[in-house]
Each structure stands twice: as structure tokens, then as C-alpha cells.
Amino acid sequence: QVEFVESGGGWVQPGSSLRLSCATSSFALDYYAIGWFRQAPGKEREGLSCITGSPARTYYEDPVKGRFTISRDNRKKMVYLQMNDLKPEDTAVYYCGSRVSCQSGDFNSWGQGTQVTVSS
């Protein structure tokens, strides 16, 4: 079981930025793609972004393209999600987790999540 610990969520006003952090293991970074997804109350899980191993390639879903940026720091065993121009519809619990591939397949492990609330 690969472990993930998300942090960095909070309450912000529309138009603000947040950076989410995901602590994981070298094993996860070496062998899996790492992605972020979110889930809002009453809604289905929504994939957001994904990053592969070296060379790192990044993928974004349309709702966050141009606003969110995923990155990884292998030395620190961290994956980040920089979120800019946040909107009320971005309110959700955000999770990071591992996938066999960014282009197919579901998440096979994820953390407890961090709450992001965007409201005026």
C-alpha cells in the first residue's frame, strides 16, 4: 500500500490561490504516475491532473487547464498542485494518489484528502 498525505487546503475567496502538497514515498514516485482528483458533496470523483516520472509529463483536465499546475520534487518526495484563480465550483476535498498511467486506469491508492473551500 503506497501512502499519501495531502495538506495545504483551506478557505479562500474567489480569485485566490492555494498550493496543495502531497507527501509520498520514493517507491511511488519511481513506479507510478501521481495525480490529483477531487470530490465535492453529492458529486462524483473528478480527476484533475497527473504527472509521470522522468521525464515528467503533465496532464490536465479541462476544468483546471490553465489555472492549476502540477509539479513534483523527487528529492523531497513531494507532489504539488498550484491552484490559481480559484472559483466556488473548485470547492471539494482534494486527494493525491497513484496511477499506473496518467492516460488510462484509475487511482490505486490515495490519501485522506484536504478540504478546499472557495467562498466569498
Side-chain angles (χ1 to χ4, degrees):
Q1 183 79 5
V2 181
E3 292 189 350
F4 298 90
V5 179
E6 303 92 340
S7 62
W11 175 85
V12 295
Q13 294 186 331
S16 299
S17 299
L18 275 177
R19 188 177 81 155
L20 304 183
S21 299
C22 172
T24 184
S25 65
S26 297
F27 176 83
L29 292 170
D30 288 343
Y31 288 99
Y32 292 101
I34 307 298
W36 288 91
F37 65 92
R38 66 188 178 190
Q39 188 155 25
K43 295 187 177 180
E44 293 188 357
R45 190 169 70 180
E46 179 183 29
L48 302 175
S49 183
C50 187
I51 187 166
T52 66
S54 298
R57 289 184 293 273
T58 58
Y59 300 83
Y60 299 94
E61 298 298 330
D62 286 344
V64 304
K65 200 173 292 184
R67 298 190 298 127
F68 291 10
T69 303
I70 191 171
S71 62
R72 57 192 286 162
D73 185 330
N74 287 354
R75 184 178 62 84
K76 295 182 178 179
K77 305 176 189 177
M78 298 290 291
V79 177
Y80 304 100
L81 187 68
Q82 176 67 42
M83 307 188 297
N84 298 329
D85 189 24
L86 284 162
K87 307 175 186 299
E89 52 264 41
D90 294 318
T91 296
V93 179
Y94 285 68
Y95 302 85
C96 67
S98 54
R99 301 175 64 176
V100 173
S101 167
C102 282
Q103 296 172 288
S104 64
D106 204 352
F107 287 86
N108 49 43
S109 184
W110 55 88
Q112 294 299 307
T114 184
Q115 175 72 47
V116 172
T117 303
V118 185
S119 172
S120 56

